[in-house]
Amino acid sequence: MAQVRRDTTIVLKAITGLQFDQPRLVIKPNTRLRLVLHNTDDMAHNLVLTKPNSRLRVVEFALALGERGPKLDHVPPMPEVLAHTRTVDPGNADTLTVTLTEGAYPYVCTYPGHGSIMYGVLYVVDNAKRLPPLDADPNVPNRSGSEDHAHHAQKAPDHPYSVQLPAVYRTFMPDCSPAAIAVGLPAVGTGPEQSYCWDAGTCRLRYAWAGGFVDNGEQWEGKGQRLTKIVGDIYYREQTEFPFQTAAGKPKPDVRFRGYRLVNRYPEFQYSIGAVTVRELIKPVAKGRGLIRTFTFDKLTEPLTFAVADDGMRYQTSLGPVTKGSVRIPAGTRQFTVTMSTL
């Protein structure tokens, strides 16, 4: 006998503190679900329903959308996304409709900076009694009312899940434009774990630090109004306004951010300097504290210079030594590498 299709509507609210009011939903298989996102918060959110075990992958690809994000409602076009709403402004609502077979389907807000903590799970099962208790469910955020959780929340944990490095956060960082990107790097060789802040607003590296990544606890609790905390010690700050310069006498070129892609989980930033497209990939050195910055150019028809400050760092480049604070990049160069390390 064929199953009888059921129709149901569930209203899911986005509430203060980067949360959905219901971290877990349960319906029966073959149900036509109308899922309404009602945004009662004071910041924008969306609702993305993913295939089982796909939430983190979808969030990662959403972060990589860069400047395409708003046009796509911060939803990456990928098969792991089953359905989604548009970006919903405060006080508004939007709806998605699906019919699903048995399984555990994550739902998440992929608005930049929200996806790592604002999520839940939709169970499609015949027997809800088989589900784990809510406070022991690994598919939902830890928001139980237990004393242990209350103590955990007071400590403002760094992350709501175990972080896999390299890691990329679109967040609000100190001493940076609102378009900050924090990147945590794995330790390689004998070097420590390192991190850096890249400014998508000005298309440049801002600073780097060693000894940890970031603590987003206060920012999440403050609804994005507070800055993310740096965990570790800053060992480098970029002191040039923009490292690439055109020939003397030419006006400063127009610099625009074009997004980034992930290369083995490392972000490769893309931006334009006038008519030239640049891709920048940053990795840690294998010994001590420092970074290897690899720049790839598309159609470099005129020479550029790359400037560095007298900041106590050691610089080596693929085009030879730094002379009088800069190195010349000839026209036609396809790739250029700068290795910077502490003395």
Side-chain angles (χ1 to χ4, degrees):
M1 180 181 295
Q3 287 184 309
V4 177
R5 195 182 77 179
R6 309 169 181 85
D7 290 352
T8 191
T9 297
I10 298 176
V11 177
L12 189 65
K13 294 181 180 179
I15 61 175
T16 298
L18 295 184
Q19 301 180 57
F20 293 112
D21 67 329
Q22 300 176 75
R24 186 165 80 176
L25 305 174
V26 182
I27 62 173
K28 289 185 176 294
N30 206 37
T31 297
R32 184 175 184 271
L33 172 64
R34 181 174 177 267
L35 187 55
V36 181
L37 174 63
H38 182 201
N39 188 0
T40 65
D41 196 11
D42 57 5
M43 60 198 311
H45 297 287
N46 68 8
L47 179 63
V48 180
L49 188 68
T50 80
K51 290 183 178 179
N53 303 311
S54 298
R55 176 179 62 85
L56 291 178
R57 178 173 169 81
V58 170
V59 169
E60 183 177 276
F61 275 72
L63 286 170
L65 289 174
E67 65 180 11
R68 296 188 300 149
K71 296 179 181 179
L72 296 174
D73 291 303
H74 305 287
V75 181
M78 55 193 301
E80 287 86 349
V81 174
L82 296 176
H84 66 89
T85 67
R86 57 179 174 82
T87 300
V88 181
D89 291 327
N92 294 330
D94 196 25
T95 302
L96 62 83
T97 302
V98 289
T99 303
L100 300 170
T101 57
E102 189 162 349
Y105 299 88
Y107 53 85
V108 60
C109 174
T110 58
Y111 195 87
H114 298 186
S116 59
I117 192 171
M118 189 174 181
Y119 63 93
V121 62
L122 168 64
Y123 283 108
V124 182
V125 293
D126 277 316
N127 184 5
K129 293 182 179 180
R130 295 182 299 173
L131 298 179
L134 185 60
D135 59 3
D137 191 336
N139 293 315
V140 303
N142 183 1
R143 294 196 179 101
S144 69
S146 67
E147 293 182 4
D148 179 68
H149 172 71
H151 177 67
H152 186 68
Q154 290 171 5
K155 291 173 63 178
D158 297 3
H159 314 281
Y161 60 90
S162 179
V163 174
Q164 179 183 354
L165 299 177
V168 182
Y169 278 4
R170 293 294 297 266
T171 185
F172 297 106
M173 296 290 291
D175 302 322
C176 190
S177 81
I181 301 175
V183 180
L185 303 173
V188 298
T190 59
E193 287 187 2
Q194 301 184 73
S195 305
Y196 66 87
C197 175
W198 206 86
D199 191 336
T202 58
C203 298
R204 64 189 178 109
L205 176 67
R206 281 286 190 166
Y207 47 85
W209 66 96
F213 186 28
V214 294
D215 181 351
N216 268 2
E218 288 190 6
Q219 190 193 94
W220 287 327
E221 291 177 358
K223 298 177 288 186
Q225 299 167 346
R226 301 175 184 173
L227 295 176
T228 289
K229 288 185 176 181
I230 293 169
V231 178
D233 299 314
I234 295 177
Y235 66 84
Y236 169 78
R237 288 186 184 273
E238 187 139 300
Q239 298 180 26
T240 56
E241 182 179 354
F242 185 69
F244 288 106
Q245 301 172 8
T246 52
K250 288 201 171 186
K252 182 179 177 181
D254 183 33
V255 179
R256 293 181 180 272
F257 183 57
R258 303 296 183 186
Y260 68 89
R261 63 171 184 159
L262 295 177
V263 180
N264 295 325
R265 295 185 59 87
Y266 288 90
E268 183 182 59
F269 304 105
Q270 181 171 309
Y271 48 99
S272 58
I273 306 172
V276 179
T277 298
V278 183
R279 298 195 305 275
E280 179 176 355
L281 184 66
I282 302 176
K283 292 187 176 183
V285 296
K287 183 178 180 181
R289 301 183 302 177
L291 302 173
I292 302 171
R293 303 172 67 181
T294 300
F295 302 93
T296 304
F297 303 98
D298 178 28
K299 298 179 181 178
L300 183 59
T301 58
E302 296 186 46
L304 293 172
T305 59
F306 184 87
V308 300
D310 184 11
D311 52 14
M313 300 289 289
R314 178 190 294 116
Y315 291 93
Q316 295 177 307
T317 84
S318 59
L319 295 175
V322 174
T323 304
K324 294 182 179 180
S326 67
V327 59
R328 186 176 184 273
I329 306 169
T333 299
R334 292 289 297 169
Q335 198 167 80
F336 166 61
T337 299
V338 176
T339 300
M340 41 184 280
S341 57
T342 56
L343 297 174

